Amino acid sequence: MYKGFIKRLFDLLLAIIAMPFLLIILAILGPIIYFQDRGTIFYNAPRLGKYGKIFMMYKLRSMKINAPDLRNEDGSTFNAEDDPRLTRIGKFIRKTSLDETPQLLNIIKGDMSIIGPRPDLPEHRDLYEGNEERKLEIRPGVTGYNQAYFRNTVPWKERIQNDIYYIDHLSWWIDIKIFFKTAISVLKREDVFVTEKRTSSKNNTGVGM
């Protein structure tokens, strides 16, 4: 019942309630992003959605115009604090996760959920192995199990297994824990950028059933 209907209802209600805050953020940050290099305010990127449907994910642009696409060895997107592709305001909105706020529009459209696996690039589907495509069983999220507890400190393949763990244990209580843990992580600005390899342990997160 929760997974099929109530979760979607909560997503819509919370996204609609949060829309005025998004408008305030756009009013403040939009002109700064534009006047820094006269580029677009938004960055719209194709992502894998539920059942592999491709959708456009909305973000505030944090990188310079025509920045090159850099990848890590495992195929995941490069992410580092000293990334020269980031604009000055881009570093700030990355650290504070404000670049993700336009995804409220994705939630209202039905592309995403507030909590779920972070969406992969469309070409990543060809790299899935074994049970990894199970990640696509539910809507991707603005935040999720990995974002709350590990952010960007674990390898991409490990993040997929964490996503599958979340899907298998999805419940209202787990979503509540992830929501508040995410809020704490964002306020503390923990593990925003990749710094070192870290091994996750589901037994130490406090999320397990």
Side-chain angles (χ1 to χ4, degrees):
M1 183 69 174
Y2 174 74
K3 181 178 178 180
F5 174 73
I6 298 177
K7 184 176 173 69
R8 175 62 182 155
L9 180 62
F10 280 159
D11 283 341
L12 278 173
L13 290 176
L14 292 175
I16 291 171
I17 290 171
M19 279 302 294
F21 297 99
L22 172 61
L23 296 177
I24 293 171
I25 289 170
L26 291 177
I28 296 172
L29 294 179
I32 300 175
I33 294 170
Y34 172 76
F35 285 113
Q36 195 144 93
D37 62 0
R38 303 287 177 172
T40 58
I41 295 172
F42 295 102
Y43 171 67
N44 303 328
R47 291 291 187 268
L48 282 173
K50 187 176 181 181
Y51 303 138
K53 179 182 177 181
I54 297 174
F55 70 97
M56 295 302 294
M57 185 179 74
Y58 308 129
K59 299 181 71 170
L60 292 177
R61 183 174 61 85
S62 60
M63 291 188 180
K64 300 171 184 176
I65 295 294
N66 298 321
D69 183 13
L70 302 180
R71 303 290 177 88
N72 297 312
E73 290 183 0
D74 62 2
S76 60
T77 52
F78 177 75
N79 181 35
E81 188 168 9
D82 60 351
D83 190 339
R85 300 174 300 167
L86 295 174
T87 61
R88 291 192 301 275
I89 187 63
K91 290 182 180 181
F92 170 75
I93 64 176
R94 278 278 187 93
K95 282 187 174 182
T96 56
S97 297
L98 289 172
D99 60 324
E100 308 285 358
T101 52
Q103 286 159 42
L104 287 171
L105 299 173
N106 288 120
I107 293 173
I108 293 173
K109 287 175 59 182
D111 298 326
M112 299 180 69
S113 177
I114 293 174
I115 297 171
R118 284 298 291 168
D120 284 330
L121 296 166
E123 58 264 33
H124 282 167
R125 191 171 189 178
D126 294 332
L127 303 177
Y128 289 163
E129 300 173 322
N131 68 343
E132 291 175 349
E133 194 155 325
R134 287 199 56 211
K135 176 178 179 174
L136 306 178
E137 290 179 359
I138 63 174
R139 288 184 181 90
V142 176
T143 186
Y145 180 88
N146 279 295
Q147 289 294 100
Y149 290 94
F150 307 108
R151 299 287 309 254
N152 294 307
T153 62
V154 295
W156 175 54
K157 289 288 187 175
E158 190 170 347
R159 294 201 296 267
I160 294 177
Q161 291 306 314
N162 287 338
D163 291 332
I164 294 170
Y165 173 85
Y166 167 77
I167 291 169
D168 288 338
H169 297 85
L170 199 162
S171 70
W172 176 82
W173 182 234
I174 285 180
D175 278 357
I176 290 293
K177 288 183 177 181
I178 290 173
F179 182 86
F180 284 105
K181 182 65 172 72
T182 299
I184 293 170
S185 296
V186 169
L187 289 174
K188 290 183 177 181
R189 301 183 186 180
E190 295 175 338
D191 300 329
V192 177
F193 300 102
V194 176
T195 54
E196 61 184 28
K197 290 185 178 180
R198 172 174 162 186
T199 301
S200 66
S201 175
K202 301 178 183 64
N203 294 328
N204 294 328
T205 62
V207 175
M209 301 296 288

